Amino acid sequence: MTGIAVVILRQGSVMADELDALLGRVHDDGLRAELRDQIDRLRRRRQFGLVFESHLPERVRLPDHPIRRGSKVVRREAPAKETSQEVLRVQGRTVVLNTDGESEEVDRDEVVVVAEFGEPIYPGLRRLSSIDRGGDKPSHIVIKGENYHALEALRFSHAGKIDCIYIDPPYNSGARDWKYDNDYVDADDGYRHSKWLAFMERRLRLAKDLLNPEASVLIVTIDEKEYLRLGLLLTQTFPDATSQMVSTVINPAGTGRQNEFSRTNEYIFVLILGSATIQPMLAEDTSMRPVTWETFRRRDLTSRRGTAKGGPAQFYPIYVDLKSGRIVGVGEPLSHDQDRATTPDRPGCETVFPVRDDGTEMNWGLSRNEFERRLAKGYVHVGRHTPSKPQKYVLTYLRSGPISDIEQGRAVVTGRQGDGAMIAHYPEGKKKMPTTQWELPSHDAQRYGTNLLQSLIPGRRFPFPKSLYAVEDVLRIAVGDLPDAVILDFFAGSSTTTHAVARLNRQDEGRRTSIVITNNEVSADEAASLRAAGYLPGDDEWEVLGIFEQIARPRVTAALTGVTPDGQQVKGEYKFTDEFPISEGFEENVEFLELKYLDVEDVELELAFESVAPLLWLRAGGSGPVIDQRCDESGAPKPFDLVDRYGVLFNPDHWRAFVERLPETVTTVFVVTDSPSVFASVTAELPSGVDVLRLYENYLSTFAINRGR
């Protein structure tokens, strides 16, 4: 009977009623159920469009889990597809395995616990470090971990809340640049394309759960090896989205290939969901029309110092900090007969007066009070420094006409320069709707990806980083009009996305946040060298060379602080839209987190709250302090805990005190209870507008993932 069923499944041409009749003749209930399940899958199988093998996801290795009786384990160095073995017992360092019905003894360091696809696992997030430079801004999140499970965990905190997803997935080049089922995928793998599609489809389906269905944008970059398949996959996964593809030059010099065209470009798919709108693109050509900056020193000799037009109110010292190039003070105006050399200097500053190159003393274009008002608004700019000239710095300012245009919206502010001066342009000459063909100097991946990364983290290599300005531009198109947007990148690599979002925020004083996910894989060559030296995944010597530890975290840290990993100021300046020294950094906050897999026994004993606490903090907005302790300093369980943005009611019996102490700023409350009626009663006592969520007492039903959905 089994052989007949196989023929039926392969043929796929027997009518449904005949299949049902044949199934009725199978007497084994279990076999009949399995056959019916397989036939139902074939009936649902796509006949048109993109058809590929839906390979099962790889098993999950759980290196932090204790090895116990009944655990499933594999050898740490085992091939990915090795069958897992059950632990019969553990005796000290000896683990006894069931190997084909026989007992086998191994050292506990030789094996690692695994969970097969469909077996629930319980995610947590461990706080690693943070950067606090942004005041009360919400934090950017950088997660170290496998992106599929991190995305599953984010469904708790961000389902339907993501405004934009930008991803640069593996291009499936055959150059051992990505893994499937814990093995690198080679060019000669006959299932290479279907593995890549299965890998991408699962992640895109999770991404769909996270995107705001009312208005959001999905951006995916790819090259010619998979762009056709990816286009079909995106259409099938997001059938209601508006989709376009951009061809963009990223390597003007071209990549040389034997007997092939030299590749200069790649592709960007942009999917628009709901009512999201595409923003105009900043131009890089001569057609853009910036607002006009005037020289702050008066030019006509009839307005020189001491003349009727040149009253004493407009001759005063301006102090420019030599290190930052910013104006840090303005002195009192000098009378006509007062020698400017008598003006006291300030340490570390250049004292600037309006003096022509021939030594003629002029006047500034504004009185001191008006100058200070315009300086505070960003309408004054410090230009080049020339110590050999009488006027040490060139100063420019905006006159009343351009200021009126800015304040009434006729001119658009697109950023600020290093000294705080505004960057503003007239829309008709500055912006245009994006085209489907981009050839922009700022998108050169070598100059503004690889070389910039070397400036931030000297001596560390990362293959093919994106141009910072290319990512910045495409994100501006998607969320330029959303100053509080949440952007997700789950193939973060060197974390260019976090860097680009920080630049966008600086340009318009936005509070956008990025959530980026990267694993800690080492390259294939590094892995071979480490294994030859006797190291394995999980060893400190191995992990320190991974993408997160070696590239992503130090890159984000250097970008935001302006300091390299070895403590030096980052050299160079940013280009294009917003030009300022890289060493200035950004006023942003970042939390570095690690995805952990919680031991089920710890979860059941309520020892896991510290690991799930960051998920609650993320759900509550990701800013301010984190409630991460279930017990007080004496070890006694807390009845509840509160911070400005959210609260956790651990013991609903204390709801009255909880409600009484609830700050007005709280937006989210978590109630820990297994009882629906208790949860409803507490919810009824909380202020309207507060987001109330129920947590089960052992957290299992709240956070379980990997269930095969």
Side-chain angles (χ1 to χ4, degrees):
M1 187 65 220
T2 304
I4 295 173
V6 170
V7 172
I8 292 169
L9 292 173
R10 287 179 177 170
Q11 293 286 330
S13 59
V14 182
M15 299 300 291
D17 55 349
E18 294 174 333
L19 286 173
D20 291 336
L22 287 170
L23 283 173
R25 293 161 55 188
V26 179
H27 300 295
D28 185 310
D29 292 342
L31 176 59
R32 184 170 62 251
E34 289 184 26
L35 289 173
R36 183 175 295 282
D37 179 64
Q38 292 298 322
I39 291 171
D40 287 344
R41 290 190 182 189
L42 281 176
R43 287 172 175 168
R44 294 192 299 267
R45 195 166 183 174
R46 190 181 305 276
Q47 298 300 312
F48 301 97
L50 188 64
V51 181
F52 58 93
E53 296 290 335
S54 295
H55 303 271
L56 283 178
E58 62 270 29
R59 63 168 64 99
V60 184
R61 294 192 173 212
L62 309 172
D64 295 330
H65 277 220
I67 299 171
R68 300 189 180 98
R69 178 182 177 184
S71 298
K72 290 182 180 179
V73 299
V74 294
R75 302 298 203 284
R76 288 184 70 189
E77 288 196 90
K81 299 192 183 300
E82 178 180 338
T83 303
S84 60
Q85 297 170 269
E86 183 182 359
V87 176
L88 297 176
R89 58 185 178 277
V90 180
Q91 300 169 330
R93 295 198 56 81
T94 300
V95 178
V96 182
L97 305 177
N98 179 0
T99 305
D100 297 327
E102 301 291 333
S103 297
E104 178 186 3
E105 295 184 356
V106 298
D107 187 89
R108 68 186 309 137
D109 288 342
E110 295 181 30
V111 293
V112 60
V113 176
V114 296
E116 303 289 355
F117 179 66
E119 296 178 346
I121 56 179
Y122 307 98
L125 292 171
R126 182 166 71 95
R127 300 174 71 191
L128 299 175
S129 59
S130 62
I131 298 173
D132 302 303
R133 290 168 58 92
D136 65 349
K137 285 185 176 181
S139 295
H140 300 278
I141 307 299
V142 182
I143 299 176
K144 170 186 176 183
E146 201 284 323
N147 61 8
Y148 182 80
H149 296 128
L151 289 172
E152 285 195 294
L154 286 174
R155 286 198 296 189
F156 170 77
S157 60
H158 283 82
K161 295 181 179 180
I162 301 295
D163 299 295
C164 174
I165 291 180
Y166 169 89
I167 52 173
D168 180 33
Y171 285 6
N172 202 17
S173 66
R176 297 172 67 83
D177 59 347
W178 70 292
K179 284 185 174 183
Y180 195 93
D181 204 12
N182 206 40
D183 274 347
Y184 284 105
V185 179
D186 294 308
D188 58 359
D189 188 326
Y191 291 96
R192 176 158 61 102
H193 297 296
S194 63
K195 284 181 177 178
W196 187 85
L197 286 166
F199 170 88
M200 289 297 297
E201 182 186 42
R202 278 191 289 274
R203 287 154 178 79
L204 287 171
R205 286 183 173 178
L206 289 174
K208 189 175 183 179
D209 292 341
L210 297 173
L211 284 166
N212 178 0
E214 301 299 322
S216 56
V217 179
L218 170 65
I219 303 163
V220 190
T221 62
I222 200 69
D223 72 2
E224 79 275 16
K225 299 175 191 67
E226 294 290 0
Y227 85 99
L228 292 170
R229 298 178 186 86
L230 176 63
L232 286 170
L233 179 61
L234 291 171
T235 299
Q236 291 176 182
T237 309
F238 299 89
D240 298 326
T242 300
S243 176
Q244 284 193 283
M245 187 181 77
V246 173
S247 176
T248 177
V249 175
I250 62 165
N251 184 359
T255 300
R257 299 169 174 179
Q258 187 174 2
N259 199 33
E260 293 184 11
F261 294 104
S262 181
R263 186 173 72 86
T264 63
N265 70 321
E266 65 181 18
Y267 306 102
I268 306 173
F269 282 99
V270 179
L271 275 67
I272 305 168
L273 283 68
S275 61
T277 56
I278 293 299
Q279 301 304 300
M281 190 171 187
L282 298 180
E284 286 186 6
D285 54 39
T286 56
S287 65
M288 61 186 184
R289 187 163 65 91
V291 296
T292 301
W293 290 78
E294 296 286 347
T295 302
F296 188 47
R297 186 183 71 210
R298 300 291 291 268
R299 287 179 287 188
D300 57 306
L301 290 175
T302 59
S303 298
R304 67 186 182 275
R305 186 186 185 195
T307 62
K309 289 185 178 180
Q314 289 175 240
F315 190 82
Y316 46 85
I318 296 174
Y319 298 98
V320 179
D321 182 76
L322 286 166
K323 185 175 181 180
S324 67
R326 288 175 172 263
I327 295 172
V328 295
V330 183
E332 293 293 333
L334 275 63
S335 62
H336 288 325
D337 58 355
Q338 186 176 352
D339 187 347
R340 72 175 190 272
T342 63
T343 302
D345 292 327
R346 293 193 182 187
C349 293
E350 196 78 85
T351 305
V352 184
F353 281 98
V355 182
R356 294 174 62 165
D357 290 352
D358 63 4
T360 302
E361 294 181 333
M362 302 297 292
N363 275 286
W364 295 125
L366 300 169
S367 67
R368 178 193 176 192
N369 290 342
E370 179 59 25
F371 171 77
E372 289 183 319
R373 279 194 290 270
R374 296 197 191 188
L375 175 66
K377 292 184 176 182
Y379 299 149
V380 176
H381 173 53
V382 179
R384 65 182 180 275
H385 181 212
T386 312
S388 60
K389 291 189 175 184
Q391 183 175 322
K392 310 299 184 183
Y393 277 94
V394 174
L395 303 183
T396 56
Y397 75 119
L398 292 181
R399 302 185 75 171
S400 57
I403 290 175
S404 176
D405 289 341
I406 290 172
E407 294 182 347
Q408 295 183 31
R410 292 187 293 273
V412 178
V413 176
T414 57
R416 288 183 179 268
Q417 302 184 65
D419 63 342
M422 285 187 174
I423 300 172
H425 296 79
Y426 292 99
E428 64 271 18
K430 174 61 177 173
K431 292 187 176 183
K432 61 181 181 180
M433 289 305 292
T435 66
T436 57
Q437 179 67 48
W438 297 356
E439 190 170 357
L440 303 174
S442 61
H443 292 193
D444 185 333
Q446 177 64 40
R447 296 182 65 186
Y448 305 116
T450 300
N451 294 351
L452 176 60
L453 192 62
Q454 278 295 300
S455 298
L456 294 164
I457 47 175
R460 305 190 186 191
R461 294 185 303 162
F462 181 78
F464 313 119
K466 287 283 186 274
S467 162
L468 170 65
Y469 308 111
V471 178
E472 179 184 328
D473 279 347
V474 78
L475 291 179
R476 184 184 292 108
I477 287 169
V479 296
D481 61 335
L482 300 175
D484 297 302
V486 181
I487 298 103
L488 171 65
D489 179 355
F490 51 89
F491 289 104
S494 66
S495 202
T496 306
T497 300
T498 302
H499 198 167
V501 173
R503 274 185 53 85
L504 288 179
N505 283 345
R506 187 183 190 276
Q507 291 161 24
D508 62 5
E509 300 182 357
R511 295 170 62 90
R512 300 174 187 86
T513 54
S514 63
I515 303 172
V516 303
I517 305 165
T518 183
N519 59 35
N520 200 41
E521 292 283 356
V522 301
S523 70
D525 291 341
E526 286 175 327
S529 298
L530 287 164
R531 290 185 188 280
Y535 301 118
L536 294 172
D539 294 337
D540 291 343
E541 294 82 358
W542 183 296
E543 297 300 319
V544 74
L545 296 178
I547 294 173
F548 175 88
E549 298 293 354
Q550 183 77 355
I551 305 295
R553 176 156 56 166
R555 186 258 176 83
V556 171
T557 302
L560 267 62
T561 63
V563 179
T564 67
D566 60 1
Q568 302 299 312
Q569 294 285 311
V570 180
K571 297 177 181 178
E573 293 193 355
Y574 291 111
K575 306 295 183 183
F576 307 104
T577 306
D578 192 6
E579 300 183 10
F580 62 97
I582 300 174
S583 59
E584 284 190 13
F586 296 91
E587 296 179 354
E588 303 284 341
N589 301 317
V590 181
E591 283 286 333
F592 297 98
L593 306 172
E594 180 179 13
L595 180 69
K596 305 294 289 183
Y597 300 107
L598 307 182
D599 177 25
V600 65
E601 293 193 10
D602 285 347
V603 177
E604 290 174 344
L605 292 171
E606 294 196 13
L607 299 177
F609 181 75
E610 186 174 352
S611 293
V612 301
L615 285 169
L616 308 188
W617 174 74
L618 284 173
R619 176 65 187 251
S623 66
V626 180
I627 298 173
D628 58 6
Q629 296 298 322
R630 175 68 179 85
C631 299
D632 60 24
E633 294 179 357
S634 68
K638 298 178 182 177
F640 57 83
D641 205 346
L642 290 164
V643 292
D644 289 343
R645 296 294 299 273
Y646 72 106
V648 182
L649 178 58
F650 295 107
N651 186 342
D653 290 343
H654 293 259
W655 68 265
R656 286 185 176 83
F658 179 79
V659 172
E660 288 174 359
R661 300 183 190 179
L662 198 70
E664 293 183 358
T665 53
V666 161
T667 61
T668 309
V669 164
F670 301 95
V671 180
V672 181
T673 178
D674 283 344
S675 169
S677 60
V678 169
F679 176 73
S681 298
V682 173
T683 301
E685 300 297 331
L686 293 168
S688 61
V690 173
D691 185 20
V692 189
L693 293 97
R694 175 183 169 194
L695 300 180
Y696 291 85
E697 291 180 4
N698 62 7
Y699 312 123
L700 293 181
S701 298
T702 308
F703 298 106
I705 61 174
N706 197 51
R707 290 178 166 178
R709 292 188 292 267

